[in-house]
Amino acid sequence: MAEDPQRNIVIYFSAGAMAGVFSAGFSKTFEDAGIKPYIHSVYGNSAGSLTGLYFLSGQEDLGAALYWEDLNESKYIRWRRLPRYVLSGFCNAILRTKIELQPVFDIDMIEPIILGKRKVDFDAVKKSGINLYMIAYNLVTSSHDYLKLEDEKDIVPYLRATGGGHPAYPHSSLIHGSMYVDGGTIDDERRIARIIERHPDKEIICVLNNPKWSGSKFRNFLNKIGIGLIMLPFFGFREARKTAKSDFSNVDVKRMQESHPYLHFVANDLVGYQLSTDAHVHKMLYKRGQELAREFLLAKRLVSVPYPLPIETTFTTTVNV
């Protein structure tokens, strides 16, 4: 089938844990503005994959409500389990014990929700005509893979692979003979460059859910070392070392834009909430995503869509904050 010449936009929704709801708000505004017919591909990393999925199905509000109704409080992130979880992991790795691990990030509780009350309309995903790629880290090849969603049965396995919350979830995901962990845990510092290489002739929008790891550079360093140490007993020294060395979010925007004439960045400016379990914060991030998407479209920065777009001059949000 010949490629539709109208589809000249590629969108990347970054990782960001609970801050992923920011990109859900962004995608909702793009849906309302009628941008979908101009989109060629969507790439999602970790939480960004969930955004991409509900964006293509036209169920942005349904997917966003997952954060403030189903993942809030201690339903998904269970910090009280962390000390025992880490200690048990080291005991199992060093002493060869077989202590049952209770995950801190409970990805298992999300599966029945996605298959139940927040079921994705896969027919709508296919009818959108947009390619959806979920980025996950391949433990076999020690590289990031772009898993293209083409079958409804792959929705849950792919989401578990790209957004499993590792290392706070102890099990990798088996897909096509390879073991995968969260695409945002061991960050790919060339993630945007790789998308540019795959689509050199497209207009690319990068939506960054968590552009800055909260705190100072020293705190950022401690965060990375801490996550690397937690990674060690579950996935080995090599992956722990790569986790500690990886730059979770920093992007050289100026250099990237110089390398591609039609590269745009829209970054969440409400930083420090990537691990928040507060429903009010989730709604605030969602609204901010809507606001920044509207500002981006009103600035007429896109060259691949006809203006004017159906964007209201007076902003209204779909949620009460």
Coordinates of all heavy atoms in Angstrom, one line a residue, residues 100-174:
E100 N 9.7 -14.9 48.0 CA 8.7 -14.4 47.1 C 8.8 -12.9 47.1 O 8.7 -12.3 48.2 CB 7.3 -14.9 47.4 CG 6.2 -14.4 46.4 CD 4.8 -14.9 46.7 OE1 4.7 -15.7 47.7 OE2 3.9 -14.5 46.0
L101 N 8.9 -12.3 46.0 CA 9.0 -10.8 45.9 C 7.7 -10.1 45.7 O 6.9 -10.5 44.8 CB 10.0 -10.5 44.8 CG 11.4 -11.0 44.9 CD1 12.2 -10.8 43.6 CD2 12.1 -10.3 46.1
Q102 N 7.4 -9.1 46.5 CA 6.2 -8.3 46.3 C 6.6 -7.0 45.6 O 7.3 -6.2 46.2 CB 5.6 -8.0 47.6 CG 5.1 -9.2 48.4 CD 3.9 -9.9 47.6 OE1 3.0 -9.3 47.1 NE2 3.9 -11.2 47.6
P103 N 6.3 -6.8 44.4 CA 6.8 -5.6 43.6 C 6.3 -4.3 44.2 O 5.2 -4.2 44.8 CB 6.2 -5.8 42.2 CG 5.0 -6.7 42.4 CD 5.3 -7.6 43.6
V104 N 7.2 -3.3 44.1 CA 6.9 -2.0 44.5 C 6.0 -1.3 43.5 O 5.0 -0.6 43.8 CB 8.2 -1.1 44.7 CG1 7.8 0.3 45.2 CG2 9.1 -1.8 45.8
F105 N 6.3 -1.5 42.2 CA 5.4 -1.0 41.1 C 4.6 -2.2 40.7 O 5.2 -3.1 40.0 CB 6.2 -0.4 40.0 CG 6.8 0.9 40.2 CD1 6.9 1.5 41.5 CD2 7.3 1.7 39.2 CE1 7.4 2.7 41.7 CE2 7.9 2.9 39.4 CZ 7.9 3.5 40.7
D106 N 3.4 -2.2 40.9 CA 2.6 -3.4 40.7 C 1.9 -3.4 39.3 O 0.7 -3.1 39.2 CB 1.5 -3.6 41.8 CG 0.8 -4.9 41.8 OD1 1.2 -5.8 41.0 OD2 0.0 -5.2 42.7
I107 N 2.7 -3.7 38.3 CA 2.2 -3.7 36.9 C 1.1 -4.8 36.8 O 0.2 -4.6 35.9 CB 3.3 -4.0 35.9 CG1 2.8 -3.8 34.5 CG2 3.9 -5.4 36.1 CD1 2.5 -2.3 34.1
D108 N 1.1 -5.8 37.6 CA 0.1 -6.9 37.5 C -1.4 -6.3 37.7 O -2.3 -6.9 37.1 CB 0.3 -8.0 38.5 CG 1.6 -8.7 38.2 OD1 2.0 -8.9 37.0 OD2 2.3 -9.1 39.1
M109 N -1.5 -5.3 38.5 CA -2.9 -4.8 38.8 C -3.4 -4.0 37.6 O -4.6 -3.7 37.5 CB -2.9 -4.0 40.0 CG -2.0 -2.7 40.1 SD -2.7 -1.2 39.3 CE -4.0 -0.9 40.4
I110 N -2.5 -3.6 36.7 CA -3.0 -2.8 35.5 C -3.6 -3.6 34.5 O -4.6 -3.2 33.8 CB -1.8 -1.9 35.0 CG1 -1.3 -1.0 36.0 CG2 -2.3 -1.2 33.7 CD1 -0.1 -0.1 35.5
E111 N -3.1 -4.8 34.3 CA -3.6 -5.7 33.2 C -5.1 -5.9 33.2 O -5.7 -5.7 32.1 CB -2.9 -7.1 33.3 CG -3.3 -8.0 32.2 CD -2.5 -9.3 32.2 OE1 -1.3 -9.3 32.7 OE2 -3.0 -10.3 31.7
P112 N -5.8 -6.3 34.3 CA -7.2 -6.5 34.2 C -8.0 -5.2 34.0 O -9.1 -5.2 33.4 CB -7.6 -7.1 35.6 CG -6.4 -6.7 36.5 CD -5.2 -6.7 35.6
I113 N -7.4 -4.1 34.3 CA -8.0 -2.8 34.1 C -8.0 -2.5 32.6 O -9.1 -2.0 32.0 CB -7.3 -1.6 34.9 CG1 -7.5 -1.9 36.4 CG2 -7.9 -0.3 34.5 CD1 -6.7 -0.9 37.2
I114 N -6.9 -2.7 31.9 CA -6.8 -2.4 30.5 C -7.6 -3.4 29.7 O -8.1 -3.0 28.6 CB -5.3 -2.5 30.1 CG1 -4.5 -1.3 30.7 CG2 -5.2 -2.5 28.6 CD1 -3.1 -1.3 30.4
L115 N -7.8 -4.6 30.2 CA -8.7 -5.6 29.5 C -10.1 -5.4 29.9 O -11.0 -6.1 29.3 CB -8.2 -7.0 29.9 CG -6.8 -7.3 29.3 CD1 -6.4 -8.7 29.8 CD2 -6.7 -7.3 27.8
G116 N -10.4 -4.6 31.0 CA -11.8 -4.5 31.5 C -12.4 -3.1 31.2 O -12.7 -2.8 30.1
K117 N -12.5 -2.3 32.3 CA -13.2 -1.1 32.2 C -12.5 0.0 31.3 O -13.1 0.9 30.9 CB -13.5 -0.5 33.6 CG -12.2 -0.1 34.4 CD -12.6 0.5 35.7 CE -11.4 1.0 36.5 NZ -11.8 1.6 37.8
R118 N -11.2 -0.2 31.1 CA -10.5 0.7 30.2 C -10.0 0.0 29.0 O -8.9 0.3 28.5 CB -9.3 1.4 31.0 CG -9.8 2.1 32.2 CD -8.9 3.1 32.7 NE -9.3 3.6 34.0 CZ -10.3 4.5 34.2 NH1 -10.9 5.0 33.2 NH2 -10.7 4.9 35.4
K119 N -10.8 -0.9 28.5 CA -10.4 -1.7 27.3 C -10.2 -0.8 26.1 O -11.0 0.1 25.8 CB -11.5 -2.7 27.0 CG -11.2 -3.6 25.8 CD -12.2 -4.7 25.6 CE -12.0 -5.6 24.4 NZ -10.7 -6.3 24.5
V120 N -9.1 -1.0 25.4 CA -8.7 -0.2 24.2 C -9.5 -0.7 23.0 O -9.7 -1.9 22.8 CB -7.2 -0.4 23.9 CG1 -6.8 0.3 22.6 CG2 -6.4 0.2 25.1
D121 N -10.0 0.3 22.3 CA -10.8 0.0 21.0 C -9.7 -0.3 19.9 O -9.3 0.7 19.3 CB -11.7 1.2 20.7 CG -12.5 0.9 19.5 OD1 -12.3 -0.1 18.8 OD2 -13.4 1.7 19.2
F122 N -9.3 -1.5 19.8 CA -8.3 -1.8 18.8 C -8.7 -1.6 17.4 O -7.9 -1.3 16.5 CB -7.8 -3.3 19.0 CG -6.5 -3.6 18.3 CD1 -5.3 -3.0 18.7 CD2 -6.5 -4.3 17.1 CE1 -4.1 -3.2 18.1 CE2 -5.3 -4.6 16.5 CZ -4.1 -4.0 16.9
D123 N -10.0 -1.8 17.1 CA -10.4 -1.5 15.7 C -10.2 0.0 15.4 O -9.8 0.3 14.3 CB -11.9 -1.8 15.6 CG -12.2 -3.3 15.6 OD1 -11.3 -4.1 15.3 OD2 -13.4 -3.7 15.9
A124 N -10.4 0.9 16.4 CA -10.1 2.3 16.2 C -8.6 2.5 16.0 O -8.2 3.4 15.2 CB -10.6 3.1 17.3
V125 N -7.8 1.8 16.7 CA -6.3 1.9 16.6 C -5.9 1.6 15.1 O -5.2 2.3 14.5 CB -5.6 1.0 17.6 CG1 -4.1 1.0 17.3 CG2 -5.8 1.4 19.0
K126 N -6.5 0.5 14.6 CA -6.1 0.1 13.2 C -6.7 1.1 12.2 O -6.0 1.4 11.2 CB -6.7 -1.3 13.0 CG -6.1 -2.4 13.8 CD -4.6 -2.6 13.6 CE -4.3 -3.2 12.3 NZ -2.8 -3.5 12.2
K127 N -7.9 1.5 12.4 CA -8.5 2.5 11.5 C -7.8 3.8 11.5 O -7.9 4.6 10.5 CB -10.0 2.7 11.8 CG -10.8 1.4 11.5 CD -12.3 1.7 11.9 CE -13.1 0.4 11.7 NZ -14.5 0.6 12.1
S128 N -7.0 4.1 12.5 CA -6.4 5.4 12.6 C -5.3 5.5 11.5 O -4.9 6.6 11.0 CB -5.7 5.6 13.9 OG -4.5 4.8 14.1
G129 N -4.8 4.4 11.0 CA -3.8 4.4 10.0 C -2.4 4.8 10.4 O -1.5 5.1 9.6
I130 N -2.2 4.9 11.8 CA -1.0 5.4 12.3 C -0.2 4.2 12.9 O -0.7 3.4 13.6 CB -1.3 6.4 13.5 CG1 -2.1 7.6 12.9 CG2 0.1 6.9 14.1 CD1 -2.6 8.5 14.0
N131 N 1.1 4.2 12.6 CA 2.0 3.2 13.2 C 2.3 3.5 14.6 O 2.6 4.6 15.0 CB 3.3 3.1 12.4 CG 3.1 2.8 10.9 OD1 2.4 1.9 10.5 ND2 3.7 3.6 10.1
L132 N 2.2 2.5 15.5 CA 2.5 2.7 16.9 C 3.7 1.7 17.3 O 3.6 0.5 17.1 CB 1.3 2.3 17.8 CG 1.5 2.4 19.3 CD1 1.9 3.8 19.7 CD2 0.2 2.0 20.0
Y133 N 4.7 2.4 17.8 CA 5.9 1.6 18.2 C 6.1 1.8 19.7 O 6.1 3.0 20.2 CB 7.2 2.1 17.5 CG 7.1 1.9 16.0 CD1 6.6 2.9 15.2 CD2 7.6 0.7 15.4 CE1 6.6 2.8 13.8 CE2 7.5 0.6 14.1 CZ 7.0 1.6 13.2 OH 7.0 1.4 11.9
M134 N 6.3 0.8 20.5 CA 6.6 0.8 21.9 C 8.0 0.5 22.1 O 8.5 -0.6 21.7 CB 5.6 -0.1 22.7 CG 4.2 0.2 22.5 SD 3.1 -0.8 23.5 CE 1.5 -0.3 23.0
I135 N 8.7 1.3 22.8 CA 10.2 1.2 23.0 C 10.4 0.4 24.3 O 10.0 0.8 25.4 CB 10.9 2.5 23.1 CG1 10.6 3.3 21.8 CG2 12.4 2.4 23.3 CD1 11.1 4.8 21.8
A136 N 11.2 -0.7 24.2 CA 11.5 -1.5 25.4 C 13.0 -1.9 25.3 O 13.6 -2.0 24.2 CB 10.6 -2.8 25.4
Y137 N 13.6 -2.2 26.4 CA 15.0 -2.6 26.5 C 15.1 -4.1 26.4 O 14.6 -4.8 27.3 CB 15.6 -2.0 27.7 CG 17.1 -2.3 27.8 CD1 18.0 -1.5 27.1 CD2 17.6 -3.4 28.6 CE1 19.4 -1.8 27.1 CE2 19.0 -3.6 28.6 CZ 19.9 -2.8 27.9 OH 21.2 -3.1 27.9
N138 N 15.9 -4.6 25.4 CA 16.1 -6.0 25.2 C 17.3 -6.5 26.0 O 18.4 -6.1 25.8 CB 16.3 -6.2 23.7 CG 16.4 -7.7 23.3 OD1 16.8 -8.5 24.1 ND2 15.9 -8.0 22.1
L139 N 17.1 -7.4 27.0 CA 18.1 -7.9 27.8 C 19.1 -8.8 27.1 O 20.2 -9.0 27.5 CB 17.6 -8.6 29.1 CG 16.9 -7.7 30.1 CD1 16.1 -8.6 31.1 CD2 17.8 -6.8 30.8
V140 N 18.6 -9.4 26.0 CA 19.4 -10.3 25.3 C 20.5 -9.6 24.4 O 21.6 -9.9 24.4 CB 18.6 -11.2 24.4 CG1 19.4 -12.2 23.5 CG2 17.6 -12.1 25.2
T141 N 20.0 -8.5 23.7 CA 20.9 -7.8 22.9 C 21.5 -6.5 23.5 O 22.4 -5.9 22.9 CB 20.2 -7.4 21.6 OG1 19.1 -6.5 22.0 CG2 19.6 -8.6 20.9
S142 N 21.0 -6.2 24.7 CA 21.4 -5.0 25.5 C 21.2 -3.7 24.6 O 22.1 -2.9 24.5 CB 22.9 -5.1 25.9 OG 23.1 -6.1 26.8
S143 N 20.1 -3.7 24.0 CA 19.7 -2.5 23.2 C 18.2 -2.3 23.2 O 17.4 -3.1 23.7 CB 20.1 -2.8 21.7 OG 19.4 -3.9 21.2
H144 N 17.8 -1.1 22.7 CA 16.4 -0.8 22.7 C 15.7 -1.3 21.4 O 16.3 -1.1 20.3 CB 16.2 0.7 22.9 CG 16.5 1.2 24.3 ND1 17.8 1.4 24.7 CD2 15.7 1.5 25.3 CE1 17.7 1.8 26.0 NE2 16.5 1.9 26.4
D145 N 14.6 -1.9 21.5 CA 13.8 -2.3 20.4 C 12.5 -1.5 20.3 O 12.0 -1.0 21.3 CB 13.4 -3.8 20.5 CG 14.6 -4.8 20.3 OD1 15.7 -4.3 19.9 OD2 14.5 -6.0 20.6
Y146 N 12.1 -1.4 19.0 CA 10.9 -0.7 18.7 C 9.8 -1.7 18.3 O 9.8 -2.2 17.2 CB 11.1 0.4 17.6 CG 12.1 1.4 18.0 CD1 13.5 1.1 17.9 CD2 11.7 2.7 18.4 CE1 14.5 2.1 18.3 CE2 12.7 3.6 18.8 CZ 14.0 3.3 18.7 OH 15.0 4.2 19.1
L147 N 8.9 -2.0 19.3 CA 7.9 -3.1 19.1 C 6.7 -2.5 18.4 O 6.0 -1.7 19.0 CB 7.5 -3.7 20.4 CG 8.7 -4.2 21.3 CD1 8.2 -4.7 22.6 CD2 9.4 -5.4 20.5
K148 N 6.5 -2.9 17.2 CA 5.3 -2.3 16.4 C 4.1 -3.1 16.8 O 4.0 -4.3 16.6 CB 5.6 -2.4 14.9 CG 4.5 -1.7 14.1 CD 4.9 -1.8 12.6 CE 3.8 -1.1 11.7 NZ 4.1 -1.2 10.3
L149 N 3.1 -2.4 17.2 CA 1.8 -3.0 17.6 C 0.9 -3.3 16.4 O 0.5 -2.3 15.7 CB 1.0 -2.1 18.6 CG -0.2 -2.7 19.2 CD1 0.1 -3.9 20.0 CD2 -1.0 -1.7 20.0
E150 N 0.7 -4.5 16.1 CA -0.1 -4.9 14.9 C -1.2 -5.9 15.2 O -2.1 -6.1 14.4 CB 0.8 -5.6 13.8 CG 1.9 -4.6 13.3 CD 2.7 -5.2 12.2 OE1 3.6 -6.1 12.5 OE2 2.6 -4.8 11.1
D151 N -1.2 -6.4 16.5 CA -2.2 -7.4 16.9 C -2.7 -7.1 18.2 O -2.0 -6.7 19.1 CB -1.6 -8.8 16.8 CG -2.7 -9.9 16.9 OD1 -3.5 -9.9 17.8 OD2 -2.6 -10.8 16.0
E152 N -4.0 -7.2 18.4 CA -4.6 -6.9 19.7 C -4.1 -7.7 20.9 O -3.9 -7.2 22.0 CB -6.2 -7.0 19.6 CG -6.9 -6.6 20.9 CD -8.4 -6.6 20.7 OE1 -8.9 -7.1 19.7 OE2 -9.1 -6.0 21.6
K153 N -3.7 -8.9 20.6 CA -3.2 -9.8 21.7 C -1.9 -9.3 22.2 O -1.4 -9.8 23.3 CB -3.1 -11.2 21.2 CG -2.1 -11.5 20.1 CD -2.0 -12.9 19.7 CE -1.0 -13.2 18.5 NZ 0.3 -12.7 18.8
D154 N -1.2 -8.5 21.5 CA 0.1 -8.0 21.9 C 0.1 -6.7 22.8 O 1.1 -6.3 23.3 CB 1.0 -7.6 20.6 CG 1.4 -8.9 19.9 OD1 1.6 -9.9 20.5 OD2 1.6 -8.8 18.7
I155 N -1.1 -6.2 23.0 CA -1.3 -4.9 23.7 C -0.7 -5.1 25.1 O 0.2 -4.3 25.6 CB -2.7 -4.5 23.8 CG1 -3.2 -4.0 22.5 CG2 -2.9 -3.4 24.9 CD1 -4.7 -3.6 22.5
V156 N -1.2 -6.1 25.9 CA -0.7 -6.2 27.3 C 0.8 -6.6 27.3 O 1.5 -6.0 28.1 CB -1.6 -7.2 28.0 CG1 -1.0 -7.6 29.4 CG2 -3.0 -6.7 28.2
P157 N 1.2 -7.6 26.6 CA 2.7 -8.0 26.6 C 3.6 -6.8 26.3 O 4.6 -6.6 26.9 CB 2.8 -9.1 25.6 CG 1.4 -9.7 25.5 CD 0.5 -8.6 25.7
Y158 N 3.2 -6.0 25.3 CA 4.0 -4.9 24.9 C 4.0 -3.8 26.0 O 5.1 -3.2 26.2 CB 3.5 -4.3 23.6 CG 3.9 -5.1 22.3 CD1 4.4 -6.4 22.4 CD2 3.9 -4.5 21.1 CE1 4.8 -7.1 21.3 CE2 4.2 -5.3 19.9 CZ 4.7 -6.6 20.0 OH 5.0 -7.3 18.9
L159 N 2.9 -3.6 26.6 CA 2.8 -2.6 27.6 C 3.6 -3.0 28.8 O 4.3 -2.2 29.5 CB 1.4 -2.3 28.0 CG 0.6 -1.4 27.1 CD1 -0.9 -1.3 27.5 CD2 1.2 0.0 26.9
R160 N 3.6 -4.3 29.1 CA 4.4 -4.8 30.3 C 5.9 -4.7 30.0 O 6.7 -4.4 30.9 CB 4.0 -6.3 30.5 CG 2.7 -6.5 31.1 CD 2.4 -8.0 31.2 NE 3.1 -8.5 32.4 CZ 2.6 -8.6 33.6 NH1 1.4 -8.3 33.8 NH2 3.4 -9.1 34.6
A161 N 6.2 -4.9 28.7 CA 7.7 -4.8 28.3 C 8.2 -3.3 28.4 O 9.2 -3.0 28.9 CB 7.9 -5.3 26.9
T162 N 7.4 -2.4 27.8 CA 7.8 -1.0 27.7 C 7.6 -0.2 29.0 O 8.4 0.7 29.3 CB 7.1 -0.3 26.6 OG1 7.6 1.1 26.5 CG2 5.6 -0.2 26.9
G163 N 6.6 -0.6 29.8 CA 6.3 0.1 31.0 C 6.2 -0.7 32.3 O 5.3 -0.4 33.1
G164 N 7.0 -1.7 32.5 CA 6.9 -2.6 33.6 C 7.3 -2.0 34.9 O 7.1 -2.6 36.0
G165 N 7.9 -0.8 34.9 CA 8.4 -0.2 36.2 C 9.6 -0.8 36.8 O 9.8 -0.7 38.0
H166 N 10.4 -1.4 35.9 CA 11.6 -2.1 36.4 C 12.6 -1.0 36.9 O 12.6 0.1 36.3 CB 12.3 -2.9 35.3 CG 11.4 -3.9 34.7 ND1 10.7 -3.6 33.5 CD2 11.0 -5.1 35.1 CE1 9.9 -4.7 33.2 NE2 10.1 -5.6 34.1
P167 N 13.4 -1.2 37.9 CA 13.6 -2.5 38.6 C 12.6 -2.7 39.8 O 12.8 -3.6 40.6 CB 15.0 -2.4 39.1 CG 15.2 -1.0 39.4 CD 14.4 -0.2 38.3
A168 N 11.6 -1.8 40.0 CA 10.7 -1.9 41.1 C 9.7 -3.0 40.8 O 8.8 -3.3 41.6 CB 10.0 -0.6 41.3
Y169 N 9.7 -3.6 39.6 CA 9.0 -4.9 39.3 C 10.0 -5.9 38.9 O 10.9 -5.6 38.1 CB 8.0 -4.6 38.2 CG 7.2 -5.8 37.8 CD1 6.1 -6.2 38.6 CD2 7.5 -6.6 36.7 CE1 5.3 -7.3 38.3 CE2 6.7 -7.7 36.4 CZ 5.6 -8.1 37.2 OH 4.9 -9.2 36.9
P170 N 10.0 -7.1 39.5 CA 11.2 -8.0 39.4 C 11.3 -8.9 38.2 O 12.3 -9.5 37.9 CB 11.1 -8.9 40.6 CG 9.6 -8.9 40.9 CD 9.1 -7.6 40.5
H171 N 10.2 -8.9 37.4 CA 10.2 -9.9 36.3 C 10.3 -9.2 34.9 O 9.6 -8.2 34.7 CB 8.9 -10.7 36.3 CG 8.6 -11.3 37.7 ND1 9.5 -12.2 38.3 CD2 7.6 -11.1 38.6 CE1 9.0 -12.6 39.4 NE2 7.9 -11.9 39.7
S172 N 11.1 -9.7 34.0 CA 11.2 -9.2 32.7 C 10.0 -9.9 31.8 O 9.4 -10.8 32.3 CB 12.5 -9.6 32.0 OG 12.8 -11.0 32.2
S173 N 9.8 -9.4 30.6 CA 8.7 -9.9 29.8 C 9.3 -10.6 28.6 O 10.2 -10.1 27.9 CB 7.9 -8.7 29.3 OG 7.3 -8.0 30.4
L174 N 8.8 -11.8 28.3 CA 9.3 -12.6 27.1 C 8.4 -12.3 25.9 O 7.2 -12.5 25.9 CB 9.2 -14.1 27.5 CG 9.6 -15.0 26.3 CD1 11.1 -14.8 26.0 CD2 9.3 -16.5 26.8

